[in-house]
Amino acid sequence: MPGSKATAACEACRRRKTRCDGTRPQCGACYSAHTTCILVDERPRRGPKKGELRALKAQVGKPPLAPESLPELDISSGLSDMLHRDALYYLRVHPLLPMVHQWHYLSWAQHQNPGTARSTLRLAMWTLASAFSAQYRALGTSLYHLAQNMAHANGTDTELPWETTATFNLEHTQAWLLLAHYELRCVDHNAALQTAARVYRLVQASGLYNLDVTESGTSDEEALILKEDKRRTFWLAFCLDRLVTSQDSLHMTLQEEMLHVNLPSSPAAPEPKLNTRGQSLRDAVSQSTPDGLSPLSEMIVLATLYGRCVTHRRLAATDASNAKSSPGGDASFWKRHEWLAARIQQRTPSLPTALSELEITLERGPLAMLSHFLVRGAAIHLSDTLWCLGFSGETAARGPAILECRRRALHAATEMAGLARTVRSLGSFRVHPYLPSLLAHAAAFLGRNRDELEQPLSAPHAERDLLESLQQLQDSDPSPRQFVRTLEGSTGFGY
């Protein structure tokens, strides 16, 4: 493959810690893997520039500014830093939240004044990227408050769905979505819930849930990129709705029945294949295996099943409290329960047992790793449903099914503990913001059921592994601390 030679390794080879042959415009490894080859020629010195941290701290605590009075970013003087933060975002954040198309973003990111909505998105991207970097972590809080101020100034009250004259910028919705994930990782759960509610309102008001109700028929590349970005933005908000609200017994906002939007049309890569059409959520959920689905689409399907397990328990609890019927004798309850159990069992992949299998899982990306935890967390939710309703295998008419559900959940929680040990060795920068709550739920479940394990001695070790994983995560990110405090205080948990 002809081309010049570069002395520095590309970003993909640096991430894999492999030797880069330096061939330009695409190295041999990226050429073989059919991935985009990104080279950062000039890397800035570590840490914030002189005076930058002080300037950003000065913005903290100030009321939201009017759009015309927002400070302009100095593009010319900090270009190398900006490029490094952009590269950091696409290296560490984009694999977790693949929604901002890289080359479309880069087409306007270096402009002096790209507009308020895009400037807000850029700040939100840098804010979340700072949470995944030891070099920029000190800037995180200041960037967060500055991005919040700009987002508030950009949105005001026109986000309300009954405001018929409102216009909605996709970048504005994406900015709030990124800030919700930053809060989930670095601030606290309540702040993330409030920001997430704003995201759901923006998604509904801008009609992202109705994106594929008709065929567009366009072949314009820029229009297709924009539509795919909208599609991914909706689905990431959908997953946030399922995985965040489950902790607080809140009702989900983005209901499946109202959706007319296809799954993402390509793997989670910077350049989606625009000529392919993603399948519907209903068709993907009905599949017995995830064959043909990208890691992002599979995570969406598993988040859907996870949300259905939570809804299943709430429906049964409501019926029981209203004395409509006994859930144990309700045919609709057991039909729903058995369908969910079968789907979760079919879609539960075997854990990687060899180093080579683990490397394959990691190469597919952090979403593939998260899916291992997510599907097992859904199995625990199913067992929790029977526990909350007071079923026991010895007295209920469906004793064998209840005991099998409990056995699968215990096995799933134990597997999550083993996988958590592996994740600890990867470092916090590769951990999805959703993972701490899944680990805490599994630890609480093991604490309640340690006497029922087939090998009782494994329960304390599994609990300890999960707790140690959360404790290690809290050393770098504050969000797991509330889970650690709850688990250390009791064996119960708010699910």
Side-chain angles (χ1 to χ4, degrees):
M1 189 174 64
S4 59
K5 292 280 187 176
T7 57
C10 71
E11 294 300 306
C13 290
R14 288 172 64 88
R15 183 176 71 252
R16 291 191 293 258
K17 293 183 171 60
T18 58
R19 182 179 296 276
C20 182
D21 61 19
T23 304
R24 298 286 96 203
Q26 192 176 36
C27 72
C30 291
Y31 178 80
S32 301
H34 303 288
T35 58
T36 304
C37 191
I38 301 174
L39 180 67
V40 178
D41 293 317
E42 181 182 351
R43 295 186 177 274
R45 296 176 59 186
R46 297 179 64 85
K49 295 171 60 179
K50 183 177 180 180
E52 185 177 18
L53 184 59
R54 183 172 59 255
L56 286 170
K57 282 183 176 180
Q59 298 295 328
V60 178
K62 291 185 178 180
L65 302 173
E68 61 273 11
S69 62
L70 285 168
E72 291 188 358
L73 298 176
D74 188 355
I75 302 298
S76 57
S77 63
L79 182 59
S80 61
D81 257 1
M82 288 176 57
L83 293 176
H84 186 58
R85 291 175 193 170
D86 290 340
L88 177 66
Y89 174 86
Y90 283 101
L91 178 65
R92 292 183 176 170
V93 180
H94 187 74
L96 302 172
L97 304 169
M99 69 173 178
V100 182
H101 189 276
Q102 183 174 7
W103 303 123
H104 179 63
Y105 166 77
L106 293 176
S107 68
W108 56 260
Q110 298 176 31
H111 293 175
Q112 180 69 35
N113 185 19
T116 306
R118 287 179 169 179
S119 296
T120 305
L121 174 60
R122 180 170 57 192
L123 268 177
M125 292 168 63
W126 292 350
T127 299
L128 190 52
S130 71
F132 292 84
S133 166
Q135 178 178 353
Y136 291 109
R137 185 182 297 276
L139 292 174
T141 301
S142 300
L143 286 169
Y144 166 65
H145 287 289
L146 187 58
Q148 260 197 331
N149 279 344
M150 189 175 286
H152 279 297
N154 183 35
T156 63
D157 292 329
T158 61
E159 301 163 4
L160 300 176
W162 52 82
E163 179 62 60
T164 56
T165 61
T167 57
F168 301 96
N169 298 106
L170 176 64
E171 291 88 352
H172 187 215
T173 305
Q174 290 174 332
W176 280 116
L177 185 54
L178 293 176
L179 290 176
H181 284 87
Y182 177 83
E183 290 166 343
L184 197 62
R185 182 179 175 96
C186 296
V187 184
D188 62 62
H189 183 72
N190 290 332
L193 277 178
Q194 294 178 39
T195 301
R198 182 186 294 271
V199 172
Y200 308 148
R201 190 166 69 242
L202 285 168
V203 164
Q204 290 173 321
S206 56
L208 295 185
Y209 63 91
N210 222 20
L211 197 60
D212 292 309
V213 67
T214 58
E215 288 281 357
S216 63
T218 182
S219 59
D220 179 68
E221 183 177 11
E222 187 170 351
L224 290 172
I225 288 174
L226 178 61
K227 188 169 185 178
E228 179 66 14
D229 241 13
K230 290 181 177 179
R231 191 178 287 123
R232 289 169 178 239
T233 301
F234 170 81
W235 285 119
L236 290 176
F238 178 87
C239 292
L240 180 69
D241 192 19
R242 266 106 194 105
L243 294 168
V244 172
T245 57
S246 63
Q247 300 177 35
D248 298 273
S249 300
L250 300 175
H251 292 287
M252 286 168 278
T253 304
L254 304 175
Q255 300 298 325
E256 290 182 51
E257 294 78 12
M258 60 180 256
L259 304 186
H260 295 283
V261 55
N262 296 327
L263 293 175
S265 61
S266 65
E271 294 184 277
K273 299 175 183 177
L274 300 175
N275 60 344
T276 60
R277 176 182 173 88
Q279 63 185 134
S280 68
L281 177 64
R282 177 176 295 183
D283 291 342
V285 170
S286 65
Q287 290 180 202
S288 58
T289 61
D291 295 340
L293 291 179
S294 68
L296 175 58
S297 294
E298 177 62 7
M299 186 197 75
I300 294 167
V301 171
L302 294 179
T304 302
L305 291 174
Y306 190 91
R308 288 187 185 184
C309 289
V310 176
T311 303
H312 170 59
R313 185 181 70 194
R314 293 173 184 169
L315 288 173
T318 301
D319 287 346
S321 63
N322 292 337
K324 291 182 178 179
S325 62
S326 170
D330 188 349
S332 63
F333 169 86
W334 285 108
K335 181 179 180 180
R336 192 169 61 234
H337 191 90
E338 290 167 358
W339 185 92
L340 286 169
R343 280 289 175 266
I344 291 170
Q345 182 70 8
Q346 290 168 347
R347 300 190 85 101
T348 302
S350 300
L351 286 179
T353 56
L355 182 59
S356 58
E357 294 177 351
L358 178 61
E359 289 176 348
I360 292 173
T361 300
L362 295 177
E363 281 298 312
R364 293 194 74 209
L367 296 183
M369 180 65 75
L370 179 68
S371 293
H372 279 286
F373 290 97
L374 195 53
V375 70
R376 288 165 173 83
I380 295 173
H381 264 297
L382 269 189
S383 182
D384 275 346
T385 297
L386 301 178
W387 177 73
C388 291
L389 296 174
F391 290 133
S392 65
E394 293 78 7
T395 60
R398 294 178 179 260
I402 294 171
L403 291 176
E404 175 63 15
C405 184
R406 182 61 53 88
R407 185 196 67 79
R408 289 179 181 177
L410 290 168
H411 183 64
T414 306
E415 285 189 324
M416 288 174 71
L419 192 56
R421 289 195 299 270
T422 303
V423 172
R424 287 209 303 266
S425 66
L426 299 177
S428 63
F429 293 153
R430 303 188 71 173
V431 172
H432 201 285
Y434 299 151
L435 186 59
S437 65
L438 295 172
L439 296 181
H441 186 202
F445 178 80
L446 287 174
R448 291 194 302 267
N449 298 277
R450 62 171 64 99
D451 295 336
E452 298 186 31
L453 284 175
E454 296 176 0
Q455 296 177 333
L457 291 179
S458 66
H461 294 292
E463 281 183 79
R464 185 162 55 250
D465 284 335
L466 290 165
L467 188 58
E468 287 176 357
S469 297
L470 286 167
Q471 288 170 336
Q472 179 172 318
L473 290 176
Q474 78 172 358
D475 292 338
S476 55
D477 300 303
S479 63
R481 291 173 189 167
Q482 58 183 319
F483 301 131
V484 173
R485 287 195 298 266
T486 303
L487 289 169
E488 289 177 340
S490 66
T491 57
F493 199 67
Y495 279 86

